[in-house]
Amino acid sequence: MQNKHRQIRLLGEEDIPAIERLLRTSEYIYQRFTLGELPLLLKRYPAVGLWNDSTLYGFLLSQIISPSLAWFSGFGVSWTESREYVSVLAHLLDQLYEQLRAQGVQYFHYSGNDSENDWLRPLLLGRSFIPYRNLYSYDKFDYKVPTTGNQSVTIRNVDLTLDMPALLRIEEACFEDLWRYDPYSFQDIASTHPYFVVAELNGEVVGYQFNALDDDYGYLVRIAVHPSAAGLGIGARLMVEAIYFFERARVSRIMLNTQEDNHHAHRLYEWFGFIRLQQKGFVLRKRL
């Protein structure tokens, strides 16, 4: 596109219709968000778009998960610019890096589900991203459960006013920085995800779980239990309640990703009938 009016600028909530148009029509799309999450991504985190007058030809979204860490959340190019998607990505990345650095981000991450066939992976490796983590993907096609889990645990909807300190303690104990949510992230999750519950044992929040829906697919995003409550059947109970939720939503497939070396989680998923997919997921990292 050789038009003197071409420009890259920050995107905001007013640009949602233009982004959704590209999501519907583009040949090259990477989407790590649901449409329900899009307004909050644009409100909270840096996003850049390539424009020609009033027409959006490409976009790149991010999500900052802690002061120093951010994720590549979405990318799209208009079908008219499909042949130029490599250069569009390069220009948008350079502009986004400036915005992320200004907010104190030191590391930028990209995640894909299939290391052998991911079309963005070789492009990002060529732009100084490096392999950082390997992931497994699991699918489940029924609602069968092998146990009902710990029935003495109370499962209730999250109340961030009451539960935030406990959620942050669980994050600190269970996850490395790459996967750890901060208060803003939990607020966004609570406002955009249809299912977000906590597990209480003896009046104390010791675990949580949340899910996402996309058409007739269900995404089991996170199950977390504080190590002090390990081995008490709380993870199994949260899994049971998650599957009951997906059954009520009538999804055709329940999907999840987990880190390759998270062997405890692998055993839980396989016990509940999740099937490990042949392709491997991955995380790339770039130091800004």
Side-chain angles (χ1 to χ4, degrees), residues 84-218:
E84 305 297 326
Y85 76 93
V86 175
S87 62
V88 170
L89 175 64
H91 290 310
L92 291 175
L93 280 172
D94 288 341
Q95 292 296 316
L96 185 63
Y97 294 158
E98 293 184 14
Q99 300 298 323
L100 293 173
R101 291 190 190 103
Q103 296 200 26
V105 173
Q106 299 177 28
Y107 295 99
F108 192 41
H109 301 86
Y110 171 83
S111 176
N113 293 324
D114 186 350
S115 59
E116 296 297 322
N117 297 297
D118 188 284
W119 59 278
L120 277 171
R121 188 174 190 270
L123 301 182
L124 296 176
L125 289 173
R127 292 186 59 82
S128 302
F129 281 76
I130 62 172
Y132 188 63
R133 291 288 187 272
N134 291 322
L135 307 174
Y136 284 146
S137 296
Y138 283 90
D139 283 359
K140 181 175 172 64
F141 298 92
D142 59 48
Y143 310 119
K144 296 177 182 178
V145 296
T147 178
T148 57
N150 187 337
Q151 290 297 301
S152 66
V153 172
T154 298
I155 305 296
R156 62 167 174 81
N157 291 333
V158 68
D159 181 342
L160 292 183
T161 303
L162 298 175
D163 300 331
M164 187 66 77
L167 294 173
L168 296 177
R169 285 194 297 271
I170 294 169
E171 292 301 283
E172 182 72 24
C174 292
F175 302 106
E176 62 174 316
D177 288 350
L178 179 64
W179 309 113
R180 197 176 292 163
Y181 294 115
D182 64 10
Y184 286 117
S185 297
F186 277 123
Q187 290 169 13
D188 291 350
I189 291 164
S191 65
T192 58
H193 287 66
Y195 183 86
F196 187 178
V197 298
V198 297
E200 282 186 332
L201 182 64
N202 300 323
E204 180 182 357
V205 173
V206 294
Y208 73 87
Q209 200 275 314
F210 66 89
N211 302 321
L213 298 173
D214 187 8
D215 292 329
D216 66 339
Y217 290 165

Side-chain angles (χ1 to χ4, degrees), residues 140 142-145 147-148 155 194-198 208-213 218-224 234-251 253-256 268-269 272 274:
K140 181 175 172 64
D142 59 48
Y143 310 119
K144 296 177 182 178
V145 296
T147 178
T148 57
I155 305 296
Y195 183 86
F196 187 178
V197 298
V198 297
Y208 73 87
Q209 200 275 314
F210 66 89
N211 302 321
L213 298 173
Y219 294 91
L220 197 156
V221 186
R222 174 73 65 87
I223 289 180
I234 297 170
R237 177 67 189 284
L238 286 167
M239 176 66 83
V240 168
E241 297 299 328
I243 292 173
Y244 289 165
F245 163 77
F246 287 125
E247 184 175 18
R248 293 191 298 271
R250 294 182 171 274
V251 303
R253 177 187 300 182
I254 306 170
M255 297 178 284
L256 63 86
L268 176 67
Y269 302 145
F272 272 82
F274 283 83

